[in-house]
Amino acid sequence: MRLWHEYMLPRLPRQQLLGQHRECAALRGSGWGRPHMTVNYVFTHSPYKLYQYHLLVMQEMKRRGYQPDPLWYDSLYRGKSTPAYSELLAVTLTTPIYPEHDQHYWVECEENLKGKGILI
């Protein structure tokens, strides 16, 4: 599991972008709070930040002609098998959304993609 640096989203190949949508959906659903080394930082923030990040992913998907399920545009929605939040306080949008998405993280993501034969 990995959330790519948000500034990489427009440059990700199709497979990684669609995979990112699946990762966001999993994390917003029953994956929330399940430890995983590369995404543990997400759980130190409000789930609303993950919703904000997922919106960026879906915006890029739409730009490329994909149509994400409209249910994911609801911040309370957590997928078909996980009950929705009854309430989720909005948090101020920051840039980047996650402070962990810094220059060091960019390089880490870039190296990961290079290992897959993808140059950004």
Side-chain angles (χ1 to χ4, degrees):
M1 287 188 152
R2 170 179 300 278
L3 293 185
W4 298 110
H5 192 293
E6 70 182 71
Y7 299 151
M8 288 184 167
L9 294 175
R11 300 167 72 181
L12 287 176
R14 173 189 178 277
Q15 182 178 350
Q16 278 67 31
L17 180 64
L18 298 180
Q20 193 71 147
H21 175 57
R22 289 188 301 274
E23 293 291 342
C24 288
L27 286 171
R28 284 181 63 187
S30 61
W32 182 258
R34 288 194 178 169
H36 192 284
M37 188 173 61
T38 57
V39 293
N40 279 343
Y41 68 90
V42 171
F43 308 131
T44 66
H45 301 281
S46 165
Y48 197 85
K49 281 205 171 277
L50 180 57
Y51 166 71
Q52 291 171 329
Y53 180 89
H54 197 187
L55 287 177
L56 290 180
V57 171
M58 293 187 294
Q59 177 183 352
E60 180 59 25
M61 288 173 66
K62 285 188 81 159
R63 189 184 73 76
R64 296 188 195 186
Y66 299 104
Q67 295 186 5
D69 187 330
L71 292 171
W72 287 113
Y73 289 94
D74 178 353
S75 64
L76 302 177
Y77 185 67
R78 300 187 70 200
K80 294 178 178 156
S81 61
T82 305
Y85 290 112
S86 58
E87 181 180 20
L88 184 59
L89 296 176
V91 297
T92 303
L93 180 63
T94 58
T95 304
I97 292 170
Y98 289 106
E100 292 83 359
H101 288 201
D102 57 12
Q103 183 60 35
H104 173 77
Y105 191 68
W106 172 278
V107 171
E108 185 180 315
C109 289
E110 192 174 46
E111 290 300 317
N112 184 289
L113 289 167
K114 280 182 190 173
K116 301 174 189 309
I118 301 165
L119 299 177
I120 294 280

